[in-house]
């Protein structure tokens, strides 16, 4: 086991802070989409805990699907080459799509997925992201709904991993800069 996966992550956002922000996001999303039906698409794997909390507070009619992208790079820098390794099962033409992402870092992964989905002509396409590290951005993309802006630290927990570990932490913590991005 590497040094980084043995650390106990220091607290950045408590579970109470997260749940109250999730509640606020749901209020905003629910009022924006009142009377509509949503297709919620989670970007695996990091968004699954966030997505589960979001949709369980929503009362508008919705369906859930998932996508998974892999980005290749060296160490903590993404190369910009992104590939969709798992795609949604349903057609999205004419649908109101809400993409759920864990964290926007360089923005390359999200930009690639958004550009790809736009080609399929959804009625609308918006992004809800739990966290954003704006200082790391390399392409012009932002979330329509954002949980938290976070500093340039390697964060884990609440679905977000380092080398597949820490996804089950109920809070968001940070660890000392590991060599590779999760
Ligand atoms: P981007 O393409 O550089 O924006 O990378 C986005 C993806 O990298 C996120 O969806 C996460 O899976 C991962 N990522 C970025 N920053 C962190 C971090 O601090 N901790 C864990 N994963 C991260
Ligand atoms: Mg990840």
């Amino acid at each position: 086991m590497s040094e980084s996966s043995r650390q106990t992550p220091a607290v950045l956002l408590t579970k109470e802070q997260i749940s109250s922000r999730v509640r606020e996001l749901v209020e905003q999303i629910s009022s924006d989409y009142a009377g509509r039906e949503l297709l919620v698409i989670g970007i695996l794997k990091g968004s699954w805990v966030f997505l589960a909390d979001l949709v369980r507070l929503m009362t508008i009619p919705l369906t859930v699907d998932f996508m998974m992208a892999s980005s290749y790079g060296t160490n903590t820098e993404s190369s910009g080459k992104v590939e969709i390794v798992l795609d949604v099962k349903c057609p999205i033409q004419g649908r109101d799509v809400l993409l759920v992402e864990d964290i926007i870092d360089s923005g390359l992964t999200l930009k690639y997925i958004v550009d790809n989905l736009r080609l399929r002509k959804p009625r609308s396409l918006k992004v809800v992201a739990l966290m954003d590290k704006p200082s790391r951005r390399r392409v012009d993309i932002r979330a329509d709904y954002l949980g938290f802006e976070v500093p340039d630290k390697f964060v884990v927990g609440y679905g977000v991993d380092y080398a597949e570990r820490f996804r089950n932490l109920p809070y968001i913590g940070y660890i000392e800069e590991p060599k590779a991005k999760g």
Side-chain angles (χ1 to χ4, degrees), residues 10-29:
V11 179
L12 183 65
L13 299 164
T14 64
K15 60 181 188 179
E16 290 78 18
Q17 285 175 297
I18 299 168
S19 67
S20 93
R21 188 71 188 117
V22 167
R23 217 164 275 281
E24 290 172 356
L25 290 172
V26 167
E27 271 173 34
Q28 206 186 331
I29 292 167

Side-chain angles (χ1 to χ4, degrees), residues 43 46 71 78 82 101-110 133 136 153-156 160-162 181-182:
I43 303 175
S71 72
S78 175
V82 183
E101 174 65 309
D102 55 352
I103 178 164
I104 312 176
D105 188 41
S106 70
L108 290 161
T109 310
L110 186 61
K133 281 187 204 170
R136 304 252 311 167
K153 290 182 180 299
F154 199 90
V155 297
V156 293
V160 179
D161 74 306
Y162 165 64
K181 179 163 105 167

Side-chain angles (χ1 to χ4, degrees), residues 105-120:
D105 188 41
S106 70
L108 290 161
T109 310
L110 186 61
K111 174 97 169 55
Y112 184 89
I113 291 176
V114 164
D115 288 348
N116 181 287
L117 290 182
R118 279 201 197 292
L119 297 174
R120 306 183 210 179

